[in-house]
DNA sequence: GTTCTAGAAC
DNA sequence: GTTCTAGAAC
């Protein structure tokens, strides 16, 4: 009999990688404390669960997986995630350069296969301060036509410098060996609502949404 | 990250 | 009175 003691994440991690343990599970006593903050079911761990779910995977290869954002902020909004557990850009180093470039290439591949690619612009990038754990590259069309886009925070997270271009991130890792984020990044989310295309300032989200229609081509 | 909702803004 | 935002969520 084998006894594992640890927190939920540690125990589950061991169970996942231990074939012997799986086969002997009936004889194994598993104790763990599940603090709410580290529980795998906590909202901040949602991507780790989602990326493993075949029902939401739209592409996968040996290094990364793509899912559709559960609450898309535009007509097309994908997340590219590495299989390796990487909590955020904070833990990215030069060792990850190849992975970042691969994720970018996968993002471009998603755009290539998009039926509306000729009529829409896309951006690829990372949030300066992500809410969800597990590194994820956003690939988002620039129509921002979505009922899930509801708040100033949503808007500014994709249309201010809070959104870090994937290529800029890669270049920063190449030159500095890490990603540094502007100390005042969180304040960018409070900026007035401004159209990303013509820079007109709007006072409310509904007004912004109405304004965005002016830029639609169809 | 979202939901819910109190009260600010109009 | 209605629309809209922004902070709590144990």
């Amino acid at each position: 009999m084998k006894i594992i003691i640890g927190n939920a994440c540690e125990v589950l991690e061991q169970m996942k990688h231990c074939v012997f343990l799986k086969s002997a599970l009936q004889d194994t006593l598993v104790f763990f404390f599940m603090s709410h903050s580290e529980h795998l079911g906590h909202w901040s761990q949602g991507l780790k669960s989602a990326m493993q779910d075949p029902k939401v995977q739209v592409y996968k290869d040996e290094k990364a997986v793509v899912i559709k954002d559960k609450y898309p902020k535009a007509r097309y909004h994908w997340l590219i995630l590495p299989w390796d557990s990487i909590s955020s850009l904070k833990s990215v180093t030069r060792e990850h350069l190849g992975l970042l470039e691969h994720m970018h290439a996968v993002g471009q591949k998603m755009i290539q296969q998009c039926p509306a690619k000729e009529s829409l612009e896309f951006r690829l990038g990372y949030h300066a301060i992500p809410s969800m754990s597990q590194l994820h590259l956003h690939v988002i069309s620039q129509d921002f036509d979505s009922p899930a886009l509801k708040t100033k925070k949503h808007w500014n997270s994709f249309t201010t410098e809070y959104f870090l271009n994937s290529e800029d991130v890669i270049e920063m890792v190449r030159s500095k060996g890490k990603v540094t984020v502007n100390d005042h990044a969180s304040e960018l989310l409070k900026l007035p609502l401004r159209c990303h295309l013509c820079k007109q300032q709007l006072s409310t989200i509904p007004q912004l949404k109405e304004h965005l229609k002016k830029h639609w081509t169809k």
Side-chain angles (χ1 to χ4, degrees), chain A residues 12 19 70 77 121 124 140 147 155 157 162 182 188 200 205:
Chain A
L12 288 171
V19 176
K70 188 175 179 182
H77 187 181
E121 296 297 320
L124 299 84
I140 183 166
W155 180 255
S157 73
Y162 194 91
N182 186 314
L188 296 170
Q200 182 178 334
I205 290 286

Side-chain angles (χ1 to χ4, degrees), chain A residues 7-26:
Chain A
N7 64 34
C9 293
E10 290 162 0
V11 171
L12 288 171
E13 189 67 18
Q14 286 194 53
M15 290 173 71
K16 193 168 66 183
H17 291 111
C18 185
V19 176
F20 167 77
L21 175 59
K22 273 182 187 167
S23 64
L25 198 54
Q26 286 170 317

Side-chain angles (χ1 to χ4, degrees), chain A residues 81-94:
Chain A
L81 307 109
W83 287 119
D84 287 351
S85 181
I86 302 174
S87 59
S88 75
L89 285 176
K90 284 182 184 171
S91 53
V92 163
T93 67
R94 282 199 182 87

Side-chain angles (χ1 to χ4, degrees), chain A residues 18-59:
Chain A
C18 185
V19 176
F20 167 77
L21 175 59
K22 273 182 187 167
S23 64
L25 198 54
Q26 286 170 317
D27 303 321
T28 303
L29 219 46
V30 180
F31 293 102
F32 56 85
F33 296 103
M34 242 182 321
S35 76
H36 186 63
S37 59
E38 72 186 10
H39 180 37
L40 279 177
H42 189 260
W43 62 264
S44 64
Q45 306 301 312
L47 293 179
K48 285 179 177 292
S49 314
M51 64 183 277
Q52 306 291 342
D53 181 356
K55 292 194 293 294
V56 301
Q57 296 166 342
V58 295
Y59 170 91

Side-chain angles (χ1 to χ4, degrees), chain A residues 65-205:
Chain A
V65 58
V66 182
I67 62 176
K68 289 202 273 188
D69 193 293
K70 188 175 179 182
Y71 300 92
K73 305 304 187 293
R75 292 175 193 168
Y76 298 92
H77 187 181
W78 297 287
L79 303 179
I80 323 294
L81 307 109
W83 287 119
D84 287 351
S85 181
I86 302 174
S87 59
S88 75
L89 285 176
K90 284 182 184 171
S91 53
V92 163
T93 67
R94 282 199 182 87
E95 294 165 23
H96 300 105
L97 262 179
L99 177 62
L100 295 180
E101 286 170 341
H102 180 76
M103 289 167 65
H104 187 90
V106 169
Q108 288 178 316
K109 194 185 300 237
M110 297 310 295
I111 299 169
Q112 284 168 24
Q113 58 78 57
C114 176
K117 66 179 175 192
E118 306 296 348
S119 60
L120 292 175
E121 296 297 320
F122 284 84
R123 286 185 74 191
L124 299 84
Y126 299 85
H127 279 156
I129 308 170
S131 299
M132 311 275 281
S133 186
Q134 185 66 354
L135 184 66
H136 53 284
L137 170 64
H138 291 270
V139 179
I140 183 166
S141 58
Q142 297 296 291
D143 48 273
F144 295 110
D145 172 22
S146 165
L149 178 57
K150 297 177 175 177
T151 69
K152 175 178 279 191
K153 177 174 176 174
H154 290 154
W155 180 255
N156 285 333
S157 73
F158 287 101
T159 60
T160 69
E161 289 167 36
Y162 194 91
F163 191 83
L164 310 173
N165 283 316
S166 172
E167 289 177 330
D168 295 343
V169 166
I170 289 170
E171 182 49 39
M172 196 186 296
V173 174
R174 201 190 309 281
S175 60
K176 301 167 60 170
K178 63 177 178 179
V179 180
T180 55
V181 165
N182 186 314
D183 290 335
H184 306 301
S186 64
E187 291 156 39
L188 296 170
L189 299 177
K190 308 261 190 190
L191 288 173
L193 298 170
R194 203 173 273 283
C195 174
H196 62 313
L197 296 175
C198 72
K199 310 306 176 192
Q200 182 178 334
Q201 191 171 313
L202 288 306
S203 50
T204 68
I205 290 286

